[in-house]
């Protein structure tokens, strides 16, 4: 909330274990206390700064359509890997993988991609 401290900041990336948001039909849905924390956190970020949420608790990899919310927990229990997409979540895969952010230090633009355990791009 300190505008002087946040001067020049273009993005804030919140990394959590449990998710703030999930894709449709997710095995693990957001818990009330986690939702409250995420909302409170987001409300403290000054206007004009992009906010990204990345969670690792769920067992699939997924991305929201607005490129702001990610699940990067591809692996673990196969029985918990459930994927579905809709207008808000346009990418979901049940395979093992990881999320990579490429951040342009001059513009603050962020490019995201998921890769499999061999380093191959997942599309």
């Amino acid at each position: 909330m300190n505008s002087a401290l946040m001067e020049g900041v273009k993005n804030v990336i919140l990394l959590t274990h449990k998710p703030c948001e999930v894709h449709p039909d997710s095995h693990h849905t957001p818990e009330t206390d986690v939702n409250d924390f995420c909302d409170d956190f987001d409300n403290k970020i000054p206007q004009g700064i992009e906010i990204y949420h990345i969670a690792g608790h769920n067992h699939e990899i997924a991305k929201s359509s607005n490129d702001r919310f990610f699940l990067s927990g591809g692996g673990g229990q196969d029985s918990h890997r459930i994927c579905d997409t809709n207008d808000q979540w346009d990418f979901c895969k049940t395979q093992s993988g990881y999320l990579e952010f490429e951040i342009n230090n001059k513009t603050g633009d962020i490019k995201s991609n998921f890769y499999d355990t061999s380093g191959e791009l997942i599309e």
Side-chain angles (χ1 to χ4, degrees), residues 6 9-10 22 28 31 55-56 75 84 93 106 110 113 122:
M6 298 299 285
V9 172
K10 294 178 176 53
V22 296
H28 297 294
E31 298 171 4
D84 200 1
K93 304 284 183 179
K106 292 182 182 185
I110 294 178
N113 285 304
I122 299 172

Side-chain angles (χ1 to χ4, degrees), residues 51-107:
I51 303 169
Y52 296 81
H53 292 178
I54 303 171
H57 184 72
N58 292 32
H59 299 275
E60 57 277 336
I61 53 177
K63 174 184 72 68
S64 66
S65 303
N66 67 1
D67 295 323
R68 297 290 182 265
F69 309 126
F70 299 86
L71 299 175
S72 184
Q77 294 178 296
D78 286 341
S79 64
H80 288 43
R81 294 184 185 192
I82 303 167
C83 266
D84 200 1
T85 58
N86 62 14
D87 289 344
Q88 289 80 37
W89 288 83
D90 61 359
F91 178 89
C92 189
K93 304 284 183 179
T94 58
Q95 70 191 93
S96 296
Y98 62 91
L99 173 65
E100 178 184 77
F101 269 12
E102 280 184 44
I103 303 171
N104 182 315
N105 290 328
K106 292 182 182 185
T107 65

Side-chain angles (χ1 to χ4, degrees), residues 16-22 28-31 34 38 55 57-58 71:
T16 60
H17 176 72
K18 292 192 175 179
C20 301
E21 303 85 4
V22 296
H28 297 294
T29 57
E31 298 171 4
V34 174
C38 296
H57 184 72
N58 292 32
L71 299 175

